[in-house]
């Protein structure tokens, strides 16, 4: 459950124990400049950003040079309204913010009655012009619909350019970075191990609870000391009740065959789960719409074992008695690799004796 008072408590807790934990903001920002039709700046204009899903409003005013900034915004869809005396109301619809997004929405006022609205559509940011970082963001719709073999986080990382898994371990490398030059966080709280910076804990496997997965591959802001940054944002309830019930089913017939394997991989897996979220509502006692929300999700896994492509063997009887002549090889000294210096050279034909 996410409420304003809960968020305040978390903030106080984080300040008190900041020496023992590392956290970064995940909030987004809307900024811009307000001008009229001639390009003259408009000061003291009221600018309001409204979260479409929760109804929460955040307000700011333009300064003497017409600039405004609305920070500390949760991820999601927003509507931006701007009002100034003697001008038509400016409305920007469908502004989509992601984690730590810095979105520029410039306001252009037109002379007229405030009852008249000038409406524009902002949409999602394709190229972030306010920062130099290179990022890739996947929302909950993509996380739920991409047909992958697993519901784990790692399968989605492989879809981003310049993100590769190290050849010798599970460390993820971002844009050619070293193994310890990445950082993982969920809702601003570190989930890295602090050694080679791989993620710890099972939270990365609960895709149904993710609202957003953001991968920063280079040019991070100063709050991060690493090249790569993986940020997970949890879902929150909205003003409407929503829920889901699913089973992510994987079978050999749904998998592509490895080109180096004679057959598809074996094993059947089920990942059932569900979720529910909405406003906190107690009939005749409390209506939490526009202020208090809850979200709950559950995921588990079931399935049969996966059999690997193995050809298990046991030593045949001649090998057990020291007869390797059937292999057609020469036994070499394990230290020098030369047959003529081998302590087994007195055994011709690759036949050893116990003496």
């Amino acid at each position: 459950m996410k409420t304003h008072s809960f968020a305040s408590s978390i903030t106080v807790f984080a300040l008190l124990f900041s020496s023992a934990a590392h956290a970064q903001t995940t909030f987004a920002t809307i900024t811009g400049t307000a001008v009229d039709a001639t390009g003259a700046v408009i000061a003291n204009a009221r600018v309001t950003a409204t979260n479409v899903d929760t109804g929460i409003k955040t307000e700011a005013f333009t300064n003497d040079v017409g600039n405004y900034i609305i920070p500390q915004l949760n991820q999601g869809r927003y509507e931006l309204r701007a009002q100034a005396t003697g001008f038509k109301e400016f409305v920007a619809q469908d502004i989509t913010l992601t984690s730590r997004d810095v979105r520029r929405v410039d306001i252009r006022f037109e002379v007229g009655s405030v009852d008249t609205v000038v409406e524009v559509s902002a949409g999602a940011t394709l190229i972030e012009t306010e920062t130099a970082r290179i990022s890739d963001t996947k929302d909950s719709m993509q996380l739920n619909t991409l047909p992958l073999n697993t519901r784990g986080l790692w399968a989605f990382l492989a879809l981003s350019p310049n993100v590769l898994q190290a050849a010798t371990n599970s460390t993820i490398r971002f844009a050619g970075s070293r193994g310890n030059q990445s950082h993982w966080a969920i809702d601003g709280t570190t989930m890295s191990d602090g050694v080679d910076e791989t993620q710890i804990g099972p939270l990365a496997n609960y895709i149904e609870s993710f609202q957003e997965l953001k991968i920063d591959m280079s040019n991070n802001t100063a709050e991060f000391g690493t090249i790569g940054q993986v940020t997970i944002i949890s879902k929150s309830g909205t003003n409407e009740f929503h829920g889901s019930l699913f089973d992510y089913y994987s079978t050999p017939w749904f998998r592509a065959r490895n080109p180096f394997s004679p057959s598809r991989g074996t094993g059947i897996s089920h990942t059932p789960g569900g979720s529910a979220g909405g406003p906190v509502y107690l009939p005749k006692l409390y209506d939490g719409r526009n202020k208090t929300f809850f979200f709950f999700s559950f995921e588990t896994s079931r399935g049969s074992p996966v059999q690997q492509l193995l050809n298990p063997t046991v030593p045949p009887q001649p090998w057990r008695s020291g007869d390797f002549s059937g292999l057609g090889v020469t036994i070499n000294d394990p230290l020098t690799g030369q047959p003529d210096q081998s302590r087994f050279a007195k055994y011709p034909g690759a036949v050893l004796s116990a003496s």
Side-chain angles (χ1 to χ4, degrees):
M1 180 169 63
K2 296 186 177 180
T3 66
H4 288 201
S5 59
F6 178 75
S8 301
S9 300
I10 292 297
T11 302
V12 173
F13 181 84
L15 291 174
L16 292 176
F17 295 94
S18 58
S19 61
H22 302 281
Q24 297 80 27
T25 178
T26 62
F27 295 119
T29 300
I30 299 179
T31 186
T33 303
V35 298
D36 62 13
T38 66
V41 298
I42 304 298
N44 203 36
R46 182 193 302 270
V47 184
T48 304
T50 303
N51 189 304
V52 175
D53 297 318
T54 63
I56 296 176
K57 298 182 178 181
T58 307
E59 189 177 272
F61 291 86
T62 58
N63 59 15
D64 293 340
V65 293
N67 295 328
Y68 75 93
I69 182 171
I70 306 178
Q72 305 296 307
L73 297 176
N74 283 320
Q75 302 73 32
R77 297 180 300 131
Y78 282 83
E79 176 189 82
L80 187 75
R81 290 181 174 269
Q83 296 174 328
T85 304
F87 295 95
K88 300 177 182 179
E89 183 179 20
F90 175 90
V91 179
Q93 301 277 8
D94 196 27
I95 302 173
T96 303
L97 299 181
T98 62
S99 171
R100 300 192 308 278
D101 195 5
V102 181
R103 182 70 187 276
R104 170 167 288 274
V105 180
D106 291 323
I107 300 169
R108 188 177 182 86
F109 283 111
E110 295 183 7
V111 177
S113 171
V114 72
D115 296 332
T116 306
V117 176
V118 177
E119 189 172 303
V120 300
S121 179
T125 303
L126 299 179
I127 299 177
E128 188 177 25
T129 59
E130 299 302 303
T131 67
R133 63 174 169 238
I134 301 175
S135 304
D136 181 26
T137 302
K138 293 176 174 58
D139 58 23
S140 60
M141 180 63 70
Q142 293 172 300
L143 296 177
N144 287 327
T145 57
L146 287 173
L148 300 175
N149 281 343
T150 175
R151 290 270 290 176
L153 175 67
W154 317 110
F156 295 95
L157 294 178
L159 300 179
S160 298
N162 292 326
V163 179
L164 299 172
Q165 181 172 334
T168 57
N169 52 46
S170 60
T171 302
I172 306 297
R173 300 186 184 277
F174 299 81
S177 64
R178 296 176 60 86
N180 62 348
Q181 293 178 330
S182 63
H183 181 262
W184 306 72
I186 180 167
D187 296 329
T189 302
T190 295
M191 55 182 293
S192 297
D193 63 4
V195 181
D196 59 0
E197 297 302 334
T198 56
Q199 67 89 21
I200 54 176
L203 294 177
N205 296 321
Y206 300 143
I207 299 295
E208 187 65 19
S209 66
F210 295 173
Q211 175 63 37
E212 173 189 305
L213 171 64
K214 184 167 187 177
I215 305 167
D216 296 322
M217 287 157 287
S218 61
N219 298 334
N220 272 319
T221 54
E223 63 186 308
F224 301 106
T226 58
I227 295 176
Q229 169 68 27
V230 177
T231 302
I232 300 171
I233 302 298
S234 299
K235 288 181 180 178
S236 169
T238 65
N239 279 329
E240 297 182 1
F241 286 100
H242 289 283
S244 64
L245 187 64
F246 63 89
D247 180 14
Y248 200 85
Y249 174 58
S250 179
T251 177
W253 293 105
F254 292 169
R255 303 188 188 108
R257 182 181 65 83
N258 186 320
F260 301 102
S261 171
S263 61
R264 292 183 175 90
T266 61
I268 297 175
S269 66
H270 293 268
T271 307
S275 66
V280 175
Y281 180 74
L282 303 175
K284 299 182 180 180
L285 294 177
Y286 183 76
D287 187 351
R289 284 175 292 188
N290 295 333
K291 48 190 174 184
T292 308
F293 311 93
F294 76 93
F295 179 82
F296 169 83
S297 69
F298 172 79
E299 294 183 65
T300 185
S301 61
R302 299 287 187 273
S304 61
V306 176
Q307 298 178 356
Q308 304 294 334
L309 294 174
L310 300 177
N311 295 313
T313 60
V314 295
Q317 184 58 42
W319 293 10
R320 300 179 196 180
S321 58
D323 185 357
F324 297 94
S325 59
L327 296 177
V329 298
T330 301
I331 299 178
N332 297 333
D333 189 317
L335 298 178
T336 65
Q338 300 298 323
D340 54 308
Q341 298 178 6
S342 172
R343 61 180 179 273
F344 302 130
K346 63 180 179 178
Y347 306 118
V351 178
L352 309 182
S353 66
S355 58

